[in-house]
Amino acid sequence: MSTSEPPAWPHCAYGAAPAADPVGCRGIHVPGYTVCLAHLADADRDAYLASLTPGADIDHRGTTFTYSLLYALLDALREPATGHPRLGGARFGSATFEGEESFRSATFEGDAWFDSATFESHARFESATFKGYTRFDSAAFKGHARFESATFKGNALFKSATFEDDAVFGSAAFEGVSGFDSATFKGDAWFDSATLDRAVFGSAIFEGNAEFQRVTIKDTAGFESATFEGDAGFDSATFESHAWFDSATFESHAWFTWAAFKATARFKSAAFKGAAAFESATFDHGAEFQSAAFEHGAGFESVTFKGHASFKSAAFEGADQFGPLVCTGRLVLSGATFGSPVNLSFAVCRLECRRTRWSSTAEIRLRYATVDFAHAVFEYPLTIAAEPDSFVLTNGLRLAEDRFPSGYDPGVRVVSLRGVDAAHLVLADLDLWECLFAGTVHLDQLRLEGACTFNTAPPAVHWRRWPPVRFTARRVLAEEHHWRAGQPGAVQGWAHGAGRAGPLQLAPVYRALRKAFEDGKHEPGAADFYYGEMEMRRHADDIPRSEQGLLTAYWALSGYGLRASRALAWLGTAMLLTIVLLVAFGLAKDTPKQTATGTVPAAGGKVAFEIDKDDPQNPTGNRFTGKRFEKALNVTLNSVVFRASGQDLTTAGTYIEMTSRVTEPVLLGLAVLAIRNRVKR
């Protein structure tokens, strides 16, 4: 049979006459007669039915069938070998079935049209086979509609159909399109263990429970704008192609436990007003929950996302737990909102939380993750921590992480905290090597717990410049790396990146992090950030040249009071220079002798003598002798500790000693200060 509309047949006249009267009946005339089957005389009906053979085409649109009339029609089409009715093309559009109509085990060889039909009692199509095009558009099922184990080999359309009672399609097989768009299920809808090729449930309304457990949908599953007023059960369902639930509304619980999504799954703008349970579900490709609303629990424990998963702008109003789950792609929570205390546990490659908002306390525990937290907002304490071991599920088992390579680092890396108010933020055991901090506010109140690691300065000596450059080991922000790498003549080892902040912006960042380390009693870490702060101040272009020169001298002499080796090197140099100068110019040639002069009175009496000492003489001849070196060393060592040596010095030596007694103790003090800053707690 063709899938087009059948040819027009003459109808009985419309009106309000009793059923025995053909007047008012809208049924199609029986071929060769002027009335429909319901109003045909008994003898004529018997003759017509006797003319039918199994597989015959029939057209009884608009006809009203009682139980006995339908039974007689199907009995005439019954296959003797099987005892089941076999119809060719069947046209029952706008027909009315008054009794319990049973097409159980019937076979429709051609198209079967039941559009706008009304089933006043139970409609039974169990194990029926529809080989052609099947239409139940706008049909009304006022009793049970039973299609268990039915087979639809062509398209089966139930568009805008109304099921007043339970609709049972368990174990049914739809080999073509199954179209239930805009259908209304007022009772329970049972599709458990059914197999569908392409399922269309767009804008369908399920007023009772919708049971799709263990269902298999081979092609696209379309549930866009569907409304589930009762429980929606998709446990262990298999979606072999795309699954669309965009704008669907789940008024009660939604169960997707152990469901398998083999292609993209979309729940954009879906509303979960009851608990949403996706435990142990598997998403082989992208999963999209953009703008979805979870008013109660969001059960994603042991879920596996093998591709990207997007919860962008989703709303989690009552969720207290999200995860533990595995995502080997990108997990996007950007723009999402969390309205209650929540624990988030993810083993994920990349987590994006840009502009995510938490309105209550939260804890995020991660493994394997690279985290972007730019412009996130939280009003209460929030903790981001690396989980050292695999997550423990509620059943006591460990979350399977076999999707990650065995050698993959389970550590957690933060790449951005820009725009975050860090007053309530706690970071624990995180890798901050690539983290961008510029633009973070209240950074001085940030709490760093455990082993949070930062980037470091390039090691080794770089000889490509003069003088050679050697960067001592210290904690360095990623943005300093990016700034130095972009400078002309930058040495190797500084990493290029997206950070565009300069010294003027980085100095307050270092200052705030220094205070955060100090508040955490981590003085060596605070010292590193003090060094970074001073470096950024020295390179900033908003300070006077005199101050810049002073900072440069402070850096060169002692690394801002933090590099003991540098201060000791300068101290040693100063001492050596002092010794050399003293040996060359400062020590007298000989020790000046004392002389006594006076006048002896002629008449005798007391003799008055004047004791004097010769002026030290500048050295001549061989000045660099061991004895002179020993004297110079003695003078220099005493100068370091502010003591006078008592040596006889020339005028030049006196000034050399005075200069030494000012500079060398300062250098010694800077060295002691640097050692103290590195070891204190």
Side-chain angles (χ1 to χ4, degrees):
M1 290 289 296
S2 170
T3 59
S4 60
E5 291 284 353
W9 291 85
H11 288 69
C12 294
Y14 284 89
D21 190 341
V23 178
C25 176
R26 58 186 303 180
I28 291 292
H29 293 178
V30 175
Y33 299 92
T34 58
V35 293
C36 69
L37 182 61
H39 295 103
L40 203 60
D42 292 345
D44 294 335
R45 183 185 302 119
D46 293 341
Y48 167 70
L49 294 177
S51 68
L52 299 178
T53 58
D57 295 339
I58 57 174
D59 186 350
H60 295 292
R61 287 173 287 164
T63 303
T64 299
F65 285 90
T66 62
Y67 173 80
S68 57
L69 179 60
L70 180 62
Y71 182 84
L73 175 63
L74 296 179
D75 191 56
L77 298 169
R78 202 173 300 278
E79 185 72 55
T82 62
H84 302 313
R86 182 166 63 88
L87 296 76
R91 311 288 177 170
F92 290 97
S94 300
T96 300
F97 300 90
E98 295 181 343
E100 181 174 333
E101 316 306 337
S102 178
F103 289 86
R104 184 185 303 174
S105 300
T107 300
F108 296 84
E109 298 282 352
D111 297 341
W113 297 71
F114 288 86
D115 44 311
S116 300
T118 300
F119 297 84
E120 297 287 350
S121 186
H122 303 317
R124 310 198 63 171
F125 289 84
E126 301 101 312
S127 301
T129 301
F130 299 86
K131 294 185 177 180
Y133 195 76
T134 305
R135 281 184 57 174
F136 284 87
D137 294 344
S138 301
F141 297 87
K142 297 186 177 181
H144 293 306
R146 307 190 67 91
F147 288 84
E148 299 103 310
S149 302
T151 300
F152 299 86
K153 293 186 176 294
N155 296 340
L157 304 183
F158 290 79
K159 183 178 181 180
S160 300
T162 301
F163 299 85
E164 300 281 349
D165 210 322
D166 293 348
V168 184
F169 290 84
S171 301
F174 295 84
E175 298 181 9
V177 176
S178 51
F180 289 86
D181 39 321
S182 301
T184 300
F185 298 85
K186 296 186 177 182
D188 294 340
W190 299 83
F191 286 84
D192 46 310
S193 301
T195 301
L196 299 88
D197 188 39
R198 181 181 179 188
V200 181
F201 287 85
S203 300
I205 298 175
F206 298 86
E207 297 183 6
N209 296 332
E211 304 292 343
F212 288 84
Q213 291 94 331
R214 298 175 299 281
V215 71
T216 300
I217 302 179
K218 297 180 179 180
D219 203 336
T220 302
F223 288 85
E224 299 96 326
S225 300
T227 300
F228 299 85
E229 297 182 4
D231 290 350
F234 289 85
D235 306 277
S236 300
T238 301
F239 300 87
E240 296 187 357
S241 187
H242 305 300
W244 310 135
F245 287 85
D246 297 348
S247 300
T249 300
F250 299 86
E251 299 282 351
S252 188
H253 301 311
W255 305 97
F256 288 86
T257 55
W258 293 102
F261 297 87
K262 302 292 184 68
T264 302
R266 284 198 343 203
F267 290 82
K268 291 182 177 179
S269 301
F272 297 89
K273 298 185 178 181
F278 286 84
E279 286 85 349
S280 301
T282 302
F283 296 83
D284 287 354
H285 292 279
E288 302 178 11
F289 289 83
Q290 290 96 316
S291 301
F294 299 86
E295 295 188 8
H296 292 282
F300 284 83
E301 183 180 75
S302 196
V303 168
T304 300
F305 295 99
K306 297 180 182 179
H308 301 314
S310 176
F311 290 83
K312 185 177 181 180
S313 300
F316 299 85
E317 295 300 325
D320 60 353
Q321 184 76 28
F322 190 17
L325 59 81
V326 172
C327 179
T328 56
R330 185 173 66 252
L331 179 60
V332 180
L333 291 176
S334 298
T337 58
F338 293 85
S340 60
V342 61
N343 290 325
L344 299 93
S345 306
F346 307 138
V348 58
C349 280
R350 184 176 179 86
L351 175 64
E352 295 183 2
C353 294
R354 300 192 191 103
R355 294 180 176 83
T356 307
R357 178 181 293 272
W358 282 267
S359 299
S360 189
T361 56
E363 181 181 32
I364 306 174
R365 305 199 69 84
L366 303 169
R367 286 175 59 78
Y368 302 100
T370 297
V371 185
D372 186 347
F373 225 68
H375 303 285
V377 178
F378 36 90
E379 305 169 16
Y380 295 88
L382 182 141
T383 300
I384 308 175
E387 184 69 18
D389 301 310
S390 56
F391 296 106
V392 179
L393 306 176
T394 53
N395 59 11
L397 300 177
R398 294 277 183 177
L399 178 67
E401 298 179 350
D402 53 321
R403 304 298 306 177
F404 293 95
S406 58
Y408 199 77
D409 180 13
V412 179
R413 296 152 294 280
V414 181
V415 296
S416 181
L417 288 175
R418 284 185 168 181
V420 169
D421 186 342
H424 301 290
L425 182 60
V426 180
L427 305 180
D429 300 314
L430 301 181
D431 180 346
L432 302 174
W433 275 57
E434 300 177 9
C435 187
L436 304 179
F437 287 95
T440 306
V441 298
H442 293 142
L443 194 55
D444 58 322
Q445 300 179 44
L446 174 68
R447 285 182 54 192
L448 299 171
E449 303 287 347
C452 289
T453 59
F454 288 82
N455 212 327
T456 58
V461 178
H462 301 272
W463 295 96
R464 292 174 54 189
R465 299 176 53 182
W466 186 260
V469 177
R470 178 182 181 274
F471 297 98
T472 54
R474 64 179 174 95
R475 295 171 179 85
V476 176
L477 295 182
E479 286 141 314
E480 183 180 345
H481 263 270
H482 304 162
W483 171 73
R484 288 188 182 274
Q487 297 303 300
V491 301
Q492 292 183 349
W494 295 108
H496 291 273
R500 293 295 179 262
L504 193 61
Q505 294 78 30
L506 291 180
V509 175
Y510 272 113
R511 186 181 307 117
L513 286 173
R514 171 177 61 84
K515 185 177 182 302
F517 270 88
E518 289 174 346
D519 292 343
K521 305 303 180 185
H522 192 335
E523 296 296 341
D528 282 347
F529 286 103
Y530 172 72
Y531 192 101
E533 176 192 353
M534 298 299 288
E535 276 287 89
M536 295 301 100
R537 284 182 57 194
R538 183 168 69 91
H539 289 285
D541 54 8
D542 67 332
I543 63 173
R545 295 180 63 88
S546 58
E547 182 179 345
Q548 191 173 39
L550 182 62
L551 290 175
T552 300
Y554 191 23
W555 162 76
L557 291 176
S558 64
Y560 310 111
L562 295 173
R563 299 294 181 259
S565 59
R566 193 176 303 178
L568 290 173
W570 279 110
L571 176 61
T573 302
M575 292 174 64
L576 180 60
L577 180 61
T578 301
I579 291 172
V580 172
L581 292 176
L582 286 174
V583 170
F585 308 105
L587 295 176
K589 178 180 179 182
D590 295 306
T591 302
K593 294 182 170 53
Q594 289 184 341
T595 59
T597 60
T599 303
V600 178
K606 293 183 178 180
V607 179
F609 290 95
E610 182 178 333
I611 307 299
D612 199 2
K613 193 175 186 179
D614 295 337
D615 291 333
Q617 300 298 312
N618 289 323
T620 58
N622 185 12
R623 306 179 185 187
F624 295 94
T625 64
K627 186 175 181 180
R628 289 176 62 82
F629 174 80
E630 182 180 357
K631 290 181 180 181
L633 179 61
N634 184 41
V635 173
T636 303
L637 292 177
N638 280 282
S639 297
V640 172
V641 293
F642 279 107
R643 291 181 58 191
S645 63
Q647 293 288 339
D648 295 311
L649 302 176
T650 65
T651 302
T654 301
Y655 285 106
I656 293 171
E657 183 186 36
M658 290 171 59
T659 304
S660 175
R661 292 180 64 183
V662 171
T663 58
E664 292 170 5
V666 171
L667 293 172
L668 178 62
L670 290 174
V672 173
L673 176 64
I675 294 172
R676 172 59 179 158
N677 286 333
R678 304 308 298 183
V679 300
K680 70 178 180 179
R681 288 292 185 268

